[in-house]
Amino acid sequence: MSPLANRYDFALIFEVTNGNPNGDPDAGNLPRLDPETNKGQVSDVSLKRKIRNYVELARAGEEGFHIYVQDGAILNDQHRKAYRALRPDDPKVDKDAKLNPKDDAEAIKLRDFMCLNFFDVRTFGAVMSTGVNCGQVRGPVQITFATSVEPIMPLEITITRMAATNEAEKKQKAEGEDGDGRTDNRTMGRKHIVPYGLYVAHGFISSKFSERTGFSQADLDLLWEALCNMFEHDRSAARGEMATRKLIVFKHENALGNAPAHVLFDRVKIGRNVDGAFRAIDDKGIGNEPPARKFSDYVVEVDESGLKDIGVEVHYPGGL
Amino acid sequence: MAYGVRLKVWGDYACFTRPEMKVERVSYDVMTPSAARGILEAIHWKPAIRWVVDAIHVLEPIRFQSVRRNEVGSKALSGKIKSAMKRGDLGRLQLRVDEDRQQRASTVLVKPAYVIEANFMLTEKAGEDDNEGKHLDTFNRRAGRGQCFHQPCLGTREFAAHFELIAPDADLPASIDESRDLGFMLWDIDHHAKDRPSLFFRAALESGVLKVPRPNSPEIRR
């Protein structure tokens, strides 16, 4: 498990079609919007959740790839029960005594144990209440909010259900209407969708922090795999069709980096495809173009000129 | 300032959380000196030096937005980790987000941009071969090339900071023409103090510049 020798900056470009990529709890689960620009957003934690879920699926039960911040039911619990049956002399239930490590050395032991066993702690870090300066592990991977390339237009879709939740509701409906039997039990619901949105998130991987948490090259490859495939295993009624369209990785020769991240991200240009030609998003001349509804309405260009000379390589993991 | 550096930092969002509003996070109007120090340390730091922030220039109007997210309600308990280590079994060592969920709003700054003016002094940990010139060169070289130990952030890690060194002979970008009293602001945290580690000062924006008192000056209160 050797740590990374390079710094990485990456741009993740993903799309949503007729779905809600990330609901806003403040706005009744409408897709998140930047109120000033009307561009859509997907929060950092939403993307991290998907990475965790993917790793949990892809590496189920493998040593060292457990996920600490769990979502829902855990299959491994079944396996563990078997373990416990095999080792009856282990204490069955540990009482939650308030324990704090005696000293820094022990805090480091606890930290290393967590990093060794849990992929998400190793990758994103975790806050552990060890009583020694909070025992924070800062993970090497940092992900920012994803923002849509153009303003999005969330639609509110009203849907109906042919069943009532309970008897009372059914009565209420029946009293209110003198319609046919079909409408008696009907309840209305709401869905919010984005017809189409192309989103970009930026991420950073610090090689120096990978030394501290033991984030290895194998973990990095798994992270790229997760970023490319995380939407494939996150299908639901709310999400619609989501997919990673492009993952652009800038690999720096130097552990500290060879170029400022923002300069590299500026080389990723996303424009509208007008009869095969690249037109910038803020080009006044494309005002009459119909709204984008598919990925081919956009053009993604990466300016790779001269990057080799400054010691930065561009990769497209997953062949995207 | 003999060993001064000037760094421009900017990003899409920032959240310099007020300690009195930590649960539903509300950001200070302006970057705190301790956040500025963290940014400098993300680029270059050694135990031999200590960054001291002199001033923070605000380059963009101060605007807020609210974001609500699902967060987890608890930290990893060291006791649980310990017992799992003893057992040699990871059972029950996890956080169930759907059972321990809190929806919290954060009031964050939009499109912030600042210039940090800072210098550093040597600490008692400085060895034979630590001198100001060396560390200053290291910082300037790294910041000039966009190198960093880890990508600095504007308050919290999801709000990455982009940074650019301002050459010693270059002019500073214009700050906003605004003066306001910012009230008591966190100056920094003294990790060696047991009981009251937070240090505050009375912050005021004067023509877009926040002057930061020197360490140990009487303006800093516990």
Side-chain angles (χ1 to χ4, degrees), chain B residues 72-106:
Chain B
V72 290
S74 48
K75 294 188 235 176
L77 287 169
S78 57
K80 280 196 162 172
I81 301 172
K82 253 196 189 137
S83 58
M85 281 168 84
K86 276 207 196 86
R87 277 200 316 268
D89 165 24
L90 297 175
R92 291 191 309 286
L93 182 60
Q94 72 271 111
L95 256 174
R96 302 286 283 274
V97 279
D98 41 4
E99 292 167 15
D100 190 10
R101 172 171 291 171
Q102 299 179 346
Q103 291 197 327
R104 295 182 182 178
S106 308

Side-chain angles (χ1 to χ4, degrees), chain A residues 101 131 196 239 246 277:
Chain A
Y196 187 83
R239 295 272 175 260
K246 226 171 176 54

Side-chain angles (χ1 to χ4, degrees), chain A residues 103-132:
Chain A
D103 49 22
D104 288 8
E106 194 174 20
I108 287 167
K109 259 206 201 104
L110 293 174
R111 193 190 72 192
D112 290 347
F113 174 82
M114 290 300 280
C115 288
L116 187 70
N117 284 297
F118 293 97
F119 175 84
D120 55 341
V121 175
R122 207 161 55 227
T123 307
F124 304 126
V127 177
M128 299 181 234
S129 60
T130 54
V132 182

Side-chain angles (χ1 to χ4, degrees), chain A residues 243-263:
Chain A
T244 298
R245 279 295 187 169
K246 226 171 176 54
L247 177 57
I248 302 157
V249 177
F250 297 100
K251 178 181 178 181
H252 299 250
E253 222 167 82
N254 188 311
L256 294 167
N258 295 52
H262 64 272
V263 173

Side-chain angles (χ1 to χ4, degrees), chain A residues 133, chain B residues 17-22 28 32-34 37 184-202 219-222:
Chain A
N133 188 11
Chain B
T17 310
R18 291 171 180 269
E20 69 271 27
M21 290 185 253
K22 272 166 107 163
Y28 278 117
T32 62
S34 75
R37 176 180 61 85
F184 274 104
M185 185 190 249
L186 182 77
W187 182 78
D188 210 329
I189 293 174
D190 176 6
H191 288 291
H192 299 296
K194 273 266 182 287
D195 45 353
R196 284 191 295 173
S198 305
L199 303 163
F200 293 87
F201 73 108
R202 190 68 195 248
E219 287 102 54
I220 297 174
R221 333 256 176 98
R222 259 188 212 279

Side-chain angles (χ1 to χ4, degrees), chain A residues 3-319:
Chain A
L4 306 178
N6 309 80
R7 181 180 121 190
Y8 297 85
D9 298 317
F10 62 89
L12 171 76
I13 301 174
F14 61 94
E15 66 175 2
V16 58
T17 314
N18 291 333
N20 181 354
N22 184 208
D24 185 349
D26 261 340
N29 211 31
L30 251 129
R32 286 185 193 276
L33 273 179
D34 176 336
E36 289 178 328
T37 61
N38 275 335
K39 286 183 176 176
Q41 295 177 319
V42 173
S43 69
D44 59 308
V45 281
S46 158
L47 295 168
K48 285 180 182 176
R49 173 80 271 145
K50 289 180 188 12
I51 294 169
R52 285 183 165 111
N53 289 352
Y54 179 83
V55 170
E56 210 179 334
L57 286 170
R59 294 284 190 277
E62 267 186 52
E63 277 309 303
F65 289 96
H66 298 282
I67 294 292
Y68 183 72
V69 184
Q70 290 271 14
D71 187 16
I74 305 152
L75 299 168
N76 288 347
D77 267 9
Q78 305 309 325
H79 314 179
R80 281 192 229 300
K81 276 181 193 136
Y83 264 106
R84 276 186 212 115
L86 287 172
R87 299 190 203 144
D89 47 346
D90 267 12
K92 276 266 187 290
V93 180
D94 295 281
K95 289 202 176 58
D96 270 5
K98 270 224 186 313
L99 283 168
N100 275 331
K102 294 188 289 287
D103 49 22
D104 288 8
E106 194 174 20
I108 287 167
K109 259 206 201 104
L110 293 174
R111 193 190 72 192
D112 290 347
F113 174 82
M114 290 300 280
C115 288
L116 187 70
N117 284 297
F118 293 97
F119 175 84
D120 55 341
V121 175
R122 207 161 55 227
T123 307
F124 304 126
V127 177
M128 299 181 234
S129 60
T130 54
V132 182
N133 188 11
C134 278
Q136 270 200 18
V137 190
R138 279 190 291 179
V141 179
Q142 199 174 329
I143 295 181
T144 62
F145 271 49
T147 311
S148 67
V149 175
E150 286 187 286
I152 55 168
M153 172 73 212
L155 302 179
E156 191 174 42
I157 311 278
T158 305
I159 50 176
T160 60
R161 185 179 59 174
M162 291 309 183
T165 315
N166 51 36
E167 200 61 41
E169 194 181 12
K170 184 174 171 173
K171 267 209 189 72
Q172 200 185 344
K173 287 263 190 272
E175 281 163 15
E177 294 168 24
D178 46 0
D180 52 16
R182 227 181 117 249
T183 56
D184 281 2
N185 299 349
R186 192 146 45 162
T187 40
M188 301 289 240
R190 284 228 163 81
K191 271 183 93 152
H192 298 284
I193 63 164
V194 179
Y196 187 83
L198 191 68
Y199 289 75
V200 184
H202 291 160
F204 311 89
I205 303 178
S206 152
S207 78
K208 293 293 177 186
F209 277 179
S210 77
E211 292 169 17
R212 293 185 188 180
T213 67
F215 183 85
S216 65
Q217 186 63 45
D219 290 328
L220 184 72
D221 294 339
L222 176 58
L223 178 76
W224 298 146
E225 187 189 318
L227 287 168
C228 292
N229 299 322
M230 59 192 183
F231 298 113
E232 307 297 331
H233 301 278
D234 188 59
R235 306 288 181 206
S236 79
R239 295 272 175 260
E241 291 174 56
M242 291 181 75
T244 298
R245 279 295 187 169
K246 226 171 176 54
L247 177 57
I248 302 157
V249 177
F250 297 100
K251 178 181 178 181
H252 299 250
E253 222 167 82
N254 188 311
L256 294 167
N258 295 52
H262 64 272
V263 173
L264 297 177
F265 291 143
D266 285 347
R267 288 171 169 262
V268 178
K269 293 190 174 61
I270 303 179
R272 285 295 294 275
N273 178 353
V274 180
D275 302 327
F278 179 97
R279 300 287 291 272
I281 296 287
D282 46 12
D283 187 335
K284 293 280 186 288
I286 61 169
N288 285 335
E289 287 298 313
R293 285 294 179 263
K294 55 189 184 297
F295 183 59
S296 55
D297 290 342
Y298 288 106
V299 187
V300 180
E301 289 180 352
V302 185
D303 173 12
E304 298 185 24
S305 59
L307 274 179
K308 281 264 187 298
D309 310 335
I310 55 170
V312 178
E313 277 178 41
V314 189
H315 291 276
Y316 303 95

